[in-house]
Amino acid sequence: MVQKESLSCLAKRDLLNQSAVSVENLLSWGNHYEQLALLHDAVNFYEKAKATDALGRLLKIVQEEGDTFLYKRINRILLREPDRQEWLTLASQAEQLGKLAFAAEAFRQVDTERPQQQSAVES
């Protein structure tokens, strides 16, 4: 199998802005970028292809990676509202991975500060 090269940023932009592009081509590029762990690019192609199954798969991956901002974006595309427990799980995962800005944003989504921060304020 021949490995395809990634697109330049201008080629990606042009492809994503074409009105007549095949779903198969979009899915192929989405899969390519997903395999390279370039999930923002993969989401762009899957969104354009309306590939809800692929986006659902990425939703789980970005939750495991603690990527709050991509998690919010995919949920918005899927017209889905995460519940409180999902946000807390994401926040905890981001915190464990040292992604403190992502963790703070996830806690903010449920209007909660990190428990350790609350006790520090009370002292």
Side-chain angles (χ1 to χ4, degrees), residues 31-83:
N31 185 56
H32 172 74
Y33 286 109
E34 182 180 352
Q35 296 303 313
L36 293 175
L38 297 171
L39 301 184
H40 287 272
D41 288 327
V43 168
N44 290 333
F45 285 100
Y46 289 150
E47 178 182 19
K48 175 92 173 170
K50 296 179 176 33
T52 57
D53 289 344
L55 288 166
R57 182 178 63 248
L58 288 184
L59 189 64
K60 292 176 185 172
I61 293 170
V62 300
Q63 187 176 35
E64 291 169 3
E65 292 183 357
D67 189 331
T68 304
F69 296 97
L70 196 48
Y71 186 76
K72 283 171 49 174
R73 180 170 177 227
I74 294 171
N75 275 298
R76 190 171 43 251
I77 294 166
L78 294 174
L79 304 174
R80 178 180 184 282
E81 188 62 43
D83 63 29

Side-chain angles (χ1 to χ4, degrees), residues 21 26 39 42 56 59 62 81 89 99 105 109 117:
V21 59
L26 293 169
L39 301 184
L59 189 64
V62 300
E81 188 62 43
T89 300
K99 298 177 178 181
E105 176 61 20
Q109 291 298 313
Q117 288 177 336

